[in-house]
C-alpha cells in the first residue's frame, strides 16, 4: 500500500504540470508559436515539463506497482534527466525574468497587446503567474521533493558516468533542435539566443549543460 503523502505529491505534480501545458492555448502568443517549426516544443521549458510530467507518471506507476523493478529503473533514469533539466530551466528563467526580462520573454505581437502610452517601450509577452508557476516552478519543486524525501541518492558510478552522458546527450539534442527550428523560423524561442551569433550560442549551450551537470552532482551530494 503506497503512502498517502507519496501519492499526493505525485498526483498533484501531474495535475499542476498538465494544467500548465493545457493553459498554453489560452496565451495570446499561442497561435503564433504553434505556426512556427517546432511549436511550443522549441522551448526548453516545454521539453523539461514533458520529461518532468513523464517522470511523475512513472512515479504513480511505481506507487501502484512497487514490485515492478523495470518501472522503478525507468523512473530513476527519467528522474536523472528531469531533475537537473528542470533545475536549470527554473534557475535561468526566474533570474532573467527578475533582472533582464527582455532576454527571456518574447515581444508581444502587434494587435495582441494593450495600447501603451509610449511606443518606444517594447511590450513583453508575460505569462499569468498561475500558469508561470505551473511551467517554471512546479516541475523542479515537486521533483526535488520527490528525490529528497522518497528516493535514494544515485550511486557514485551513476553520478560519474551516467549523469555526464545524460547531460551531454540532452544538451546536444536541444542545441541541434533549436538551431534547426530557428533555421526555418528566422528567430529563436528565447531572445538571448536570437541576439547572439552562433559561437556565443554554442558557449551558452555548453555553459548551461555544465551547470545542469554540476547542479545534479550537488543535489545528489547533499541528499541525506
Amino acid at each position: 500500500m503506497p503512502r498517502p503523502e507519496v501519492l499526493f505529491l505525485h498526483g498533484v505534480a501531474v495535475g499542476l504540470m498538465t494544467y500548465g501545458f493545457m493553459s498554453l492555448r489560452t496565451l495570446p502568443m499561442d497561435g503564433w508559436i504553434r505556426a512556427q517549426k517546432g511549436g511550443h516544443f522549441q522551448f526548453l521549458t516545454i521539453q523539461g515539463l514533458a520529461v518532468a510530467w513523464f517522470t511523475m507518471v512513472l512515479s504513480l506507476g511505481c506507487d501502484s506497482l512497487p514490485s515492478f523493478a523495470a518501472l522503478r529503473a525507468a523512473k530513476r533514469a527519467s528522474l536523472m534527466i528531469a531533475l537537473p533539466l528542470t533545475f536549470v530551466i527554473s534557475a535561468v528563467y526566474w533570474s532573467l525574468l527578475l533582472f533582464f526580462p527582455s532576454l527571456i520573454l518574447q515581444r508581444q505581437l502587434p494587435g495582441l497587446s494593450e495600447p501603451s502610452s509610449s511606443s518606444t517601450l517594447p511590450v513583453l509577452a508575460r505569462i499569468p503567474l498561475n500558469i508561470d508557476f505551473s511551467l517554471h516552478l512546479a516541475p523542479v519543486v515537486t521533483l526535488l521533493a520527490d528525490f529528497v524525501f522518497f528516493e535514494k541518492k544515485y550511486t557514485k558510478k551513476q553520478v560519474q558516468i551516467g549523469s555526464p552522458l545524460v547531460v551531454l546527450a540532452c544538451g546536444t539534442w536541444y542545441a541541434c533542435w533549436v538551431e534547426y527550428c530557428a533555421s526555418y523560423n528566422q528567430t529563436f524561442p528565447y531572445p538571448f539566443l536570437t541576439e547572439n551569433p552562433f559561437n556565443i550560442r554554442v558557449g551558452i549551450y555548453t555553459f548551461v549543460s555544465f551547470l545542469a551537470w554540476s547542479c545534479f552532482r550537488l543535489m545528489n551530494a547533499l541528499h541525506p
Side-chain angles (χ1 to χ4, degrees), residues 111-211:
L112 296 181
S113 59
E114 295 295 327
S116 172
S117 59
S118 174
S119 59
T120 62
L121 293 177
V123 179
L124 301 178
R126 295 185 178 274
I127 303 173
L129 202 56
N130 57 328
I131 301 175
D132 218 357
F133 281 169
S134 298
L135 297 174
H136 295 108
L137 196 60
V140 67
V141 169
T142 53
L143 285 169
L144 192 57
D146 185 44
F147 179 59
V148 170
F149 296 114
F150 306 122
E151 287 289 331
K152 297 183 297 183
K153 67 192 304 181
Y154 287 89
T155 65
K156 186 176 181 180
K157 183 178 180 180
Q158 289 170 330
V159 172
Q160 292 182 341
I161 299 176
S163 66
L165 291 176
V166 165
V167 168
L168 178 62
C170 292
T172 302
W173 151 253
Y174 185 71
C176 294
W177 168 247
V178 78
E179 291 287 333
Y180 168 75
C181 291
S183 70
Y184 285 88
N185 300 328
Q186 302 303 308
T187 186
F188 286 85
Y190 301 110
F192 68 83
L193 293 176
T194 302
E195 295 172 6
N196 281 298
F198 178 72
N199 61 321
I200 300 299
R201 294 199 302 272
V202 170
I204 292 172
Y205 303 141
T206 303
F207 172 75
V208 170
S209 298
F210 177 76
L211 182 61

Side-chain angles (χ1 to χ4, degrees), residues 6-22 49-61 63 134 138-139 142-143:
V6 180
L7 277 174
F8 178 77
L9 174 65
H10 296 156
V12 167
V14 170
L16 285 173
M17 288 185 267
T18 301
Y19 166 77
F21 183 78
M22 297 302 293
L49 182 75
V51 178
W53 181 89
F54 181 67
T55 303
M56 285 303 185
V57 169
L58 288 176
S59 298
L60 286 172
D63 297 338
S134 298
T142 53
L143 285 169

Side-chain angles (χ1 to χ4, degrees), residues 45-99:
T45 292
I46 304 305
Q47 296 201 16
L49 182 75
V51 178
W53 181 89
F54 181 67
T55 303
M56 285 303 185
V57 169
L58 288 176
S59 298
L60 286 172
C62 291
D63 297 338
S64 303
L65 301 168
S67 60
F68 195 170
L71 192 61
R72 166 62 59 181
K75 184 263 173 85
R76 293 281 292 178
S78 186
L79 182 63
M80 182 181 282
I81 300 170
L83 192 57
L85 180 57
T86 55
F87 189 91
V88 165
I89 289 169
S90 189
V92 171
Y93 178 81
W94 291 107
S95 297
L96 291 180
L97 186 69
L98 290 174
F99 300 108

